[in-house]
Amino acid sequence: MILVHGGAWAIPEDMVEPHLRGVKAAADEAWQVLRRGGSSLDAIETAVVAMEEDETFDAGRGSFLNMDGRVQLDALVMDGATLRAGGVGCVEHIRNPIRAAKKILTESPHVYFVGAGAERFAQEHGIELCSNDDLVIEREVERLREAKKQDYLQMPDEFGPTRSHDTVGAVALDAEGNIAAATSTGGTLNKAPGRVGDSSLIGCGCYADNRSAAVSTTGWGEPMMKLVLAKWTADRVESGQAPQEAAQQALYYLKSRLNGHGGIIIVDTRGRIGIAHNTPRMAWAVCTKQGTKAGIVIEG
Ligand code: ASP
């Protein structure tokens, strides 16, 4: 089974349809990988690439711009069977950072590469680099212009439409019983150059261990990082909590400790899933033998 998210925030009415379409297409494509006997690791990569390619989301082309008007991307992938992981931070010339993260996982003794070193590693391993302009779209140039007019950090409404959290993520369970997780993001709008959020940090925005669970989060990254939220949640599942309960508790913990907001998806090796958010909406889709389900809200 494959479960994906496409961000948790106050997704406005006119953006609901593209979000649903995007998460559903990603889940369907990844399901084909699993159906053919592919690994959970390959399935999550497929799902995340599909969403990085979709300009609806804050990942790959079409991501938020940083203060300098540049796209700066972070991504992480983790394999629950082996605990191998690969992450990139602050890359500016990679169209699909999740592919670079996966290359790190499979072909490097290291776990995390940032900036120019990450791009060099990617290029040396067959990933073509692009110009930063190729990743920038007009909608985001306009969005940054608007954000700069306001003092973004002081904005009163934490769920206002400009506070979008359109990061993407995926968790999967394959026929071998292995789970994996991936998260990819352009981070937050108008971020300082060099800022890294939770998404690509191991245990914060993404985690996978066959003994506990595969987890991907989205939302305001700084509080999630401080709480190492993905690992916190996986640990709950390891100590016996059902994934859905752990997901809800994670959001409660995030809100009560640091007034954080966001969403989370989980799968364990028994195929049990958890989906929760404390934002008005979260785009998600799940695909199993029984078919595909997608939604914009999880009740409770
Ligand atoms: N968590 C991401 C970050 O803070 C943003 C998001 O989820 O949309 O970089």
Side-chain angles (χ1 to χ4, degrees):
M1 64 96 47
I2 173 91
L3 170 60
V4 309
H5 71 74
W9 56 294
I11 302 169
E13 216 43 58
D14 62 335
M15 290 177 77
V16 166
E17 201 36 51
H19 276 77
L20 281 175
R21 210 180 317 123
V23 288
K24 199 170 164 306
D28 283 343
E29 204 178 322
W31 175 247
Q32 295 312 316
V33 174
L34 292 172
R35 213 176 49 86
R36 290 193 298 265
S39 68
S40 51
L41 204 53
D42 288 342
I44 53 168
E45 182 187 21
T46 299
V48 170
V49 166
M51 292 185 282
E52 286 174 341
E53 287 294 322
D54 184 336
E55 291 174 11
T56 305
F57 303 108
D58 177 30
R61 182 175 148 85
S63 287
F64 285 150
L65 302 182
N66 70 10
M67 267 176 201
D68 291 348
R70 294 175 72 80
V71 167
Q72 224 173 47
L73 303 167
D74 308 328
L76 184 88
V77 60
M78 187 159 180
D79 177 21
T82 60
L83 300 188
R84 287 181 308 166
V88 293
C90 295
V91 294
E92 295 191 348
H93 305 99
I94 300 180
R95 192 177 167 97
N96 296 114
I98 206 68
R99 285 202 200 283
K102 171 101 171 305
K103 284 277 183 204
I104 293 168
L105 181 152
T106 53
E107 293 179 33
S108 169
H110 306 305
V111 169
Y112 205 79
F113 283 75
V114 298
E119 292 172 355
R120 181 165 148 191
F121 176 90
Q123 195 171 30
E124 285 168 2
H125 290 80
I127 294 176
E128 207 181 304
L129 301 187
C130 62
S131 82
N132 199 259
D133 287 346
D134 288 345
L135 304 175
V136 176
I137 63 170
E138 191 46 42
R139 178 193 70 207
E140 295 306 323
V141 173
E142 185 49 39
R143 186 132 63 171
L144 180 66
R145 203 175 289 135
E146 281 304 309
K148 280 183 186 280
K149 279 191 209 152
Q150 314 159 16
D151 186 351
Y152 181 68
L153 294 175
Q154 302 304 322
M155 271 164 28
D157 180 7
E158 69 183 19
F159 295 135
T162 48
R163 291 253 191 202
S164 127
H165 290 296
D166 264 331
T167 288
V168 305
V171 293
L173 166 66
D174 62 27
E176 306 284 311
N178 293 319
I179 54 176
T183 308
S184 179
T185 189
T188 48
L189 175 61
N190 203 14
K191 66 184 180 182
R195 177 263 188 192
V196 175
D198 62 312
S199 305
S200 66
L201 299 182
I202 196 164
C204 300
C206 187
Y207 196 72
D209 183 350
N210 275 6
R211 291 193 185 179
S212 53
V215 181
S216 173
T217 72
T218 175
W220 181 22
E222 277 71 9
M224 287 180 165
M225 258 187 264
K226 291 173 190 166
L227 297 173
V228 197
L229 199 68
K231 177 71 164 78
W232 184 93
T233 313
D235 286 348
R236 304 242 131 190
V237 177
E238 186 169 2
S239 55
Q241 225 167 52
Q244 183 56 29
E245 199 186 333
Q248 282 160 348
Q249 285 209 358
L251 271 299
Y252 176 76
Y253 178 55
L254 177 69
K255 178 76 184 163
S256 59
R257 282 301 307 271
L258 291 171
N259 199 28
H261 59 262
I264 189 164
I265 58 171
I266 309 177
V267 68
D268 71 1
T269 50
R270 290 158 64 185
R272 299 181 304 167
I273 64 169
I275 314 176
H277 56 103
N278 65 356
T279 48
R281 286 172 163 165
M282 175 166 90
W284 59 273
V286 60
C287 207
T288 63
K289 275 193 208 105
Q290 277 73 47
T292 310
K293 257 184 13 196
I296 212 80
V297 171
I298 284 286
E299 305 293 348

